[in-house]
Amino acid sequence: MLLATIYTKSSEFIALQNSLHGRTKLTMSLTGIGMWRTDPNPVGGIHFAPNPYCYRCPLGKKYPECDLECANKIETVIQTSTSGKPAALIAEPIQGNAGIVVPPKNYFKRVKEILKKYGALLIADEVQTGFARTGKMFAIENFDVVPDIMSVAKALGNGQPISAFISTAEIADTYTRAGASTLGGNPVSSTAGLAVLDYIAEKNLMANAKERGDQLKNGLLELQKKYSVIGDVRGIGLMIGAEFVNADKSPAPQLLDKVLEELKDMGFIIGKGGVGRNVMAFQPPLVITAQNVDDVLNAIDFVLAKV
Ligand SMILES: Cc1ncc(COP(=O)(O)O)c(C=O)c1O
């Protein structure tokens, strides 16, 4: 955010509803999920646009007839809520805590076009999506768009604490003042990060994420035919969500809790997300095997039949 401000000389930002960008003062203010906004006095100059959540479109539209109205609304936000020159829009290529919300294929292209018109940057928050999870090194590559800045963390260290940002030379070179950081450039974390990158390449984990992700998604789609509580299955690679719903499509968080507890007792720990806390969120280790995926699918089948 600082780099975008230095480069554009603007300090206004746009984020998406249902986003999650962190727990620091600024990144929490960029977060669009009420339960994670625990700051009683959020930072100003941040504006929110509707998220591309086709299963529950915040604009009540249907894709593709909507002509990406959620993306088009970003222009309305720029025109009506900012000075007209925001620094950047920050977005997760696939929203994680929102419940694995995958935008339509052409969404980010439209977003980039709009931002370019106003001299604003696109920041891709790849903290959850980055480093092979979606079958590509970075999830934004699935949308054929090159962001101006990316933030990365989690998978880079495979458990070691490390985070980083990536940008173009043109943008990064505007940051000319001295900088220092207590933990920045930590040699142990950096060595771990480099080793992780080697391991991802050597073991071809991008291919594994795609193959095992397809297997998991297809298996969940089969279960959806059998159990109407699975309202939607979505995701790319090994970042998949299954949304649990009641007969009227309202969120079914209690049922999901029950299913997750049963699965935990059988040895399967699966994530939970979504604003309605009703999305089973799969983001397993990238080394997961075909047998592991079969086992979890069988376990879900067993538990759903029981509950
Ligand atoms: C998409 C995304 N961005 C950023 C963060 C960084 O959060 P933190 O402030 O906990 O490092 C997270 C953490 O969960 C995240 O999921």
Side-chain angles (χ1 to χ4, degrees), residues 56-293:
R56 297 183 191 276
C57 176
L59 302 166
K61 301 277 175 181
K62 277 243 168 322
Y63 181 80
E65 297 81 71
C66 62
D67 184 34
L68 291 172
E69 191 168 331
C70 55
N72 298 338
K73 281 273 185 244
I74 292 167
E75 184 155 25
T76 312
V77 169
I78 294 174
Q79 290 174 347
T80 61
S81 311
T82 73
S83 64
K85 286 186 176 304
L89 175 138
I90 183 165
E92 301 152 83
I94 297 173
Q95 289 187 314
N97 284 55
I100 320 291
V101 170
V102 186
K105 177 83 184 158
N106 47 354
Y107 171 78
F108 279 108
K109 269 200 178 137
R110 179 75 59 84
V111 170
K112 188 98 199 270
E113 275 165 25
I114 294 167
L115 295 175
K116 203 168 162 205
K117 210 164 133 187
Y118 295 88
L121 304 181
L122 173 64
I123 303 177
D125 179 350
E126 293 266 3
V127 167
Q128 280 200 32
T129 52
F131 300 106
R133 176 149 304 280
T134 63
K136 309 256 187 200
M137 191 52 102
F138 298 106
I140 194 74
E141 294 174 75
N142 294 292
F143 301 92
D144 300 326
V145 157
V146 180
D148 299 294
I149 299 175
M150 296 200 290
S151 54
V152 296
K154 301 194 197 290
L156 174 57
N158 194 31
Q160 279 290 311
I162 185 167
S163 60
F165 71 88
I166 302 166
S167 188
T168 62
E170 187 197 333
I171 296 169
D173 286 351
T174 59
Y175 196 154
T176 54
R177 303 267 307 267
S181 165
T182 306
L183 302 175
N186 178 278
V188 177
S189 288
S190 302
T191 303
L194 289 169
V196 168
L197 295 183
D198 286 344
Y199 194 90
I200 289 171
E202 274 163 29
K203 304 283 173 184
N204 204 1
L205 293 188
M206 281 190 270
N208 198 55
K210 177 163 182 354
E211 285 158 22
R212 297 289 69 79
D214 287 348
Q215 181 192 353
L216 180 56
K217 193 167 168 183
N218 290 334
L220 289 168
L221 287 167
E222 282 305 311
L223 290 176
Q224 187 186 23
K225 288 182 198 155
K226 207 163 151 187
Y227 303 104
S228 59
V229 291
I230 303 180
D232 193 30
V233 174
R234 52 185 181 249
I236 306 179
L238 283 173
M239 185 157 178
I240 298 179
E243 181 152 350
F244 275 54
V245 296
N246 298 308
D248 62 358
K249 204 182 160 182
S250 61
Q254 284 93 357
L255 178 68
L256 177 60
D257 281 349
K258 212 166 157 187
V259 171
L260 291 178
E261 279 299 307
E262 295 268 349
L263 285 166
K264 188 196 69 188
D265 292 344
M266 291 171 73
F268 298 95
I269 298 178
I270 303 175
K272 180 171 72 168
V275 176
R277 309 301 291 155
N278 66 321
V279 180
M280 202 183 236
F282 298 85
Q283 291 164 283
L286 302 179
V287 294
I288 196 168
T289 64
Q291 185 64 54
N292 294 152
V293 174

